[in-house]
Amino acid sequence: MLFAPDAEEALDFVVALANTAPGASRTGDDELATIDQLRELLGRYVYSGRVDHDQAELDAVRSTRDLLRSVWTLDRDDAVDAVNRMLREARALPYLTRHDGSDWHIHATEPGAPLAERIRVEAALALIDVIRMNETGRLRVCAATDCTGLFLDLSRNGSKRFCSVRCGNRVNMIAFRARRAGR
């Protein structure tokens, strides 16, 4: 295990959120274009606290998605600046809590804070672990030239290159066909 369980959960959510963006999603379309799509995404992850299910919230979460996509690719020192800014802007005050069957974990916003703010702060708390452990290299963008999907490489040797088996298979098939055509 590289990171605390709640950090891994937050990073997994960042990947899922980020990969709803146009070009990164399975369909290539924006998969966070409607309130129902946000509701569906949140249904796959435990997010306690206030959820408004309105257009303003969707717009704020989409903006957060763009921010987190950009932070994911920063080098370690620049990521520190971005993480500190996210925490400072939310006036984050970390505290331990247990809820919804989860063991003790960290939150740093009140449950009534806007969803997008809670997402940013939970991502920032998880990124603190990544930065402190000098593992920013585990935050990756898919190596397939036609994909911008993000992924968290939790493999033992840190050698994962693709966001999905689908992308890896596609790249390998293209390389195989190119080698075969070259004979």
Side-chain angles (χ1 to χ4, degrees):
M1 176 172 66
L2 285 173
F3 309 114
D6 59 326
E8 280 188 27
E9 288 173 15
L11 294 169
D12 285 342
F13 179 78
V14 170
V15 168
L17 175 63
N19 288 342
T20 64
S25 69
R26 284 198 177 273
T27 63
D29 298 328
D30 187 342
E31 294 180 353
L32 194 59
T34 68
I35 295 166
D36 285 339
Q37 287 173 318
L38 175 59
R39 183 179 287 117
E40 181 183 325
L41 176 66
L42 293 174
R44 297 192 314 256
Y45 296 87
V46 177
Y47 255 91
S48 61
R50 174 179 147 203
V51 180
D52 296 335
H53 297 294
D54 62 16
Q55 189 63 43
E57 181 175 74
L58 175 63
D59 293 343
V61 171
R62 287 169 51 115
S63 178
T64 293
R65 173 185 68 185
D66 297 342
L67 170 66
L68 294 176
R69 280 190 68 80
S70 68
V71 171
W72 197 264
T73 59
L74 294 176
D75 68 33
R76 187 177 183 211
D77 291 342
D78 291 335
V80 167
D81 291 338
V83 165
N84 284 339
R85 186 173 38 259
M86 285 188 286
L87 294 171
R88 192 172 43 254
E89 287 173 357
R91 291 183 215 91
L93 184 60
Y95 63 93
L96 289 168
T97 185
R98 274 197 294 218
H99 59 84
D100 300 321
S102 296
D103 200 3
W104 290 111
H105 58 282
I106 298 175
H107 282 267
T109 57
E110 292 301 316
L115 176 63
E117 180 177 292
R118 292 194 329 271
I119 291 171
R120 285 190 304 275
V121 169
E122 287 192 21
L125 292 173
L127 289 166
I128 286 171
D129 280 2
V130 173
I131 293 165
R132 289 177 52 215
M133 295 181 72
N134 197 20
E135 293 288 355
T136 54
R138 301 280 184 156
L139 309 178
R140 305 243 174 94
V141 177
C142 186
T145 56
D146 60 343
C147 181
T148 60
L150 303 184
F151 67 94
L152 174 63
D153 183 0
L154 295 176
S155 66
R156 182 180 292 235
N157 63 3
S159 62
K160 193 172 172 189
R161 296 180 40 224
F162 302 104
C163 67
S164 68
V165 172
R166 187 173 132 252
C167 279
N169 286 346
R170 192 175 66 253
V171 168
N172 289 335
M173 182 54 72
I174 291 168
F176 170 76
R177 288 179 180 157
R179 284 192 307 273
R180 197 171 190 195
R183 287 186 189 159

